[in-house]
Amino acid sequence: MDIGVVINVGDGVASIYGLSGAKSGELVTFPRTGIKGLVLSLLKNSVKVAVLGNDFSLYQGDKVVCGLEVVKVPVGFGLLGTIVDSLCNRVDGLSTFDIKPTSSRPVEVIAPGIIERERVAESFETGILAVDSMLPIGRGQRELVIGDRQTGKTTIAIDAIIHQRSLDNPVFCIYVAIGQKKSTVNHLVQELIRQGAFFFTNVVCASASESASMQFLAPYTGCTVGEFFRDLGYSSFIVYDDLTKQAVAYRQMSLLLRRPPCREAFPGDVFYLHSRLLERAAKLHTFLGGGSLTAFPIVQTEAGDVSAYIPTNVISITDGQIFLDSKTGNKGFRPAINFELSVSRVGSVAQCVAMREISRSLKFDLAQFKEVEFFLTASNADIEPATRAILVRGSRLLEIIRQ
């Protein structure tokens, strides 16, 4: 056990002298306050640690203990129906008793390999007709939800959680709120309670008022909770809302650690930040129980620019994307899905036979309708009977999938 001394602390990062045996990713403790820290940078004469909590109570000269352990969080069925922070400490204030964990797990683990996985072919129903028909999701898939502000990204994720209550075997859900206002999270929780979906849901909250290190850690904590149910053979579902804010928090930490910035001032390993997280979503082989972890990462764009750094990174990692268009939403159509830019790379394999037959030509008919509609708005040409039939059919299809 190494003992070090705080040289300086500020903005959630502490420089420590004396931890000669510390390793990157290890957990350290400040005994005077009980606050934990995560080792991120190993320098020649010091170690830089991200403080997992409030650093205002830390001072120069405080002792630091390195216990040669990684960050672990409690997991178990006791987490369902609770709101926890990035270290799985209960923060909802609804009960005075502590969570009794089944076990503890490290938040950073290696994703399942190829042999341990099974083909994604079992349908994951979201309850959103436009998604289930044209963008089918399979259990174990990673489907990105991307779009501008106020386009309904969180609504799609919350509706998918609420829909699980209607299934014979409810899917255990985890909602990870990163950098959001506490009032917003409280509103979502109240909606889940009102809809009767909170009892099988765990909310991991790293609000905007918390440190960047806690916002960085929250998605890994939520994924660890979901893996507990997956490894027991159950189906689980996790929502990361949103990964853009996690990347910004990681950028803040990296700049404070004096790491060289790259594109848009993000560090060079920001791709690995998300890839090692999203690769943990999988459908396990039957000899490992056959459990699954389905992931809905959410990414926010600016003015519909999907070519920005973080959106392109996450698009390349995931198995498809649901692109929400502000123009479609402004027309009053909900969900505001742009079907031309949206895709599910699993395809109809994850659909039941009846839905597959009904929705086989749905996406093509809507694309044809959009093309004809755009042409008619740009010209005053007379409408032929065949064109009129396309318009009538397309408008009726839009009304069917409107929710």
Side-chain angles (χ1 to χ4, degrees):
M1 183 174 65
D2 285 348
I3 298 178
V5 178
V6 175
I7 303 174
N8 57 65
V9 59
D11 296 321
V13 175
S15 296
I16 301 169
Y17 173 79
L19 297 180
S20 58
K23 298 179 180 179
S24 180
E26 282 188 339
L27 195 68
V28 299
T29 306
F30 300 87
R32 187 177 63 82
T33 60
I35 296 176
K36 305 289 186 180
L38 182 63
V39 177
L40 289 180
S41 287
L42 304 175
L43 306 179
K44 184 176 181 180
N45 297 318
S46 64
V47 172
K48 290 198 174 183
V49 171
V51 181
L52 301 177
N54 192 347
D55 63 346
F56 293 151
S57 58
L58 301 179
Y59 300 100
Q60 184 179 12
D62 282 352
K63 290 185 178 180
V64 185
V65 176
C66 181
L68 300 178
E69 62 176 354
V70 297
V71 181
K72 292 185 178 182
V73 294
V75 294
F77 290 96
L79 291 173
L80 298 175
T82 64
I83 308 174
V84 297
D85 63 9
S86 300
L87 296 175
C88 275
N89 299 315
R90 193 162 184 174
V91 296
D92 50 18
L94 298 178
S95 179
T96 56
F97 64 85
D98 295 329
I99 297 172
K100 295 182 180 179
T102 303
S103 61
S104 294
R105 291 190 172 203
V107 297
E108 291 270 13
V109 296
I110 299 176
I114 296 175
I115 304 300
E116 299 168 315
R117 295 174 183 256
E118 197 173 72
R119 185 186 183 192
V120 177
E122 187 179 356
S123 176
F124 175 82
E125 298 178 7
T126 63
I128 302 168
L129 188 59
V131 175
D132 293 338
S133 59
M134 288 179 285
L135 305 168
I137 313 297
R139 296 195 177 186
Q141 186 176 344
R142 302 152 298 178
E143 184 77 4
L144 172 64
V145 182
I146 185 171
D148 291 355
R149 292 182 68 253
Q150 303 296 324
T151 51
K153 301 185 298 297
T154 302
T155 302
I156 283 184
I158 295 299
D159 285 349
I161 292 176
I162 293 173
H163 179 70
Q164 306 311 311
R165 68 176 184 182
S166 62
L167 303 180
D168 295 333
N169 297 315
V171 177
F172 297 113
C173 302
I174 300 94
Y175 178 79
V176 183
I178 311 164
Q180 299 186 34
K181 295 184 295 184
K182 290 184 178 180
S183 59
T184 303
V185 178
N186 181 62
H187 175 73
L188 294 175
V189 170
Q190 293 302 321
E191 181 64 20
L192 291 175
I193 293 174
R194 190 176 68 85
Q195 296 289 347
F198 191 55
F199 71 95
F200 58 80
T201 304
N202 172 235
V203 177
V204 180
C205 178
S207 64
S209 60
E210 296 192 32
S211 64
S213 55
M214 296 292 276
Q215 296 181 37
F216 153 75
L217 194 62
Y220 299 100
T221 300
C223 187
T224 303
V225 175
E227 285 177 331
F228 167 79
F229 301 113
R230 182 200 69 188
D231 294 344
L232 288 179
Y234 298 104
S235 295
S236 55
F237 172 56
I238 185 166
V239 177
Y240 304 109
D241 192 9
D242 63 60
L243 292 186
T244 308
K245 292 186 175 67
Q246 189 210 15
V248 170
Y250 187 62
R251 177 174 63 185
Q252 176 183 332
M253 293 168 54
S254 298
L255 293 175
L256 291 170
L257 293 169
R258 305 292 183 182
R259 292 180 178 174
C262 298
R263 179 180 168 185
E264 297 181 19
F266 286 104
D269 61 340
V270 71
F271 181 88
Y272 182 57
L273 171 77
H274 291 148
S275 64
R276 73 177 189 263
L277 170 70
L278 296 175
E279 283 293 328
R280 292 163 67 175
K283 167 69 174 175
L284 294 184
H285 201 278
T286 51
F287 68 78
L288 292 175
S292 66
L293 175 61
T294 308
F296 266 29
I298 296 177
V299 167
Q300 182 175 307
T301 58
E302 298 292 339
D305 183 18
V306 295
S307 62
Y309 192 29
I310 300 303
T312 51
N313 278 351
V314 182
I315 285 173
S316 65
I317 298 169
T318 51
D319 305 316
Q321 66 273 353
I322 301 173
F323 183 76
L324 300 177
D325 191 1
S326 57
K327 294 181 180 179
T328 305
N330 293 336
K331 293 179 181 178
F333 181 79
R334 299 289 178 174
I337 299 176
N338 185 325
F339 296 106
E340 297 174 357
L341 297 178
S342 302
V343 65
S344 175
R345 297 189 179 97
V346 171
S348 59
V349 175
Q351 281 182 311
C352 63
V353 178
M355 180 65 80
R356 189 186 311 154
E357 292 297 326
I358 292 174
S359 61
R360 186 183 299 275
S361 62
L362 185 58
K363 196 170 184 179
F364 173 77
D365 291 340
L366 285 177
Q368 195 176 31
F369 165 72
K370 291 287 185 181
E371 183 179 358
V372 172
E373 186 182 40
F374 174 78
F375 175 75
L376 290 178
T377 56
S379 66
N380 296 320
D382 294 333
I383 303 177
E384 298 180 355
T387 305
R388 186 181 299 277
I390 293 175
L391 289 174
V392 172
R393 177 174 173 80
S395 59
R396 289 177 177 175
L397 289 177
L398 282 178
E399 290 302 319
I400 289 175
I401 62 177
R402 182 195 297 267
Q403 285 179 277

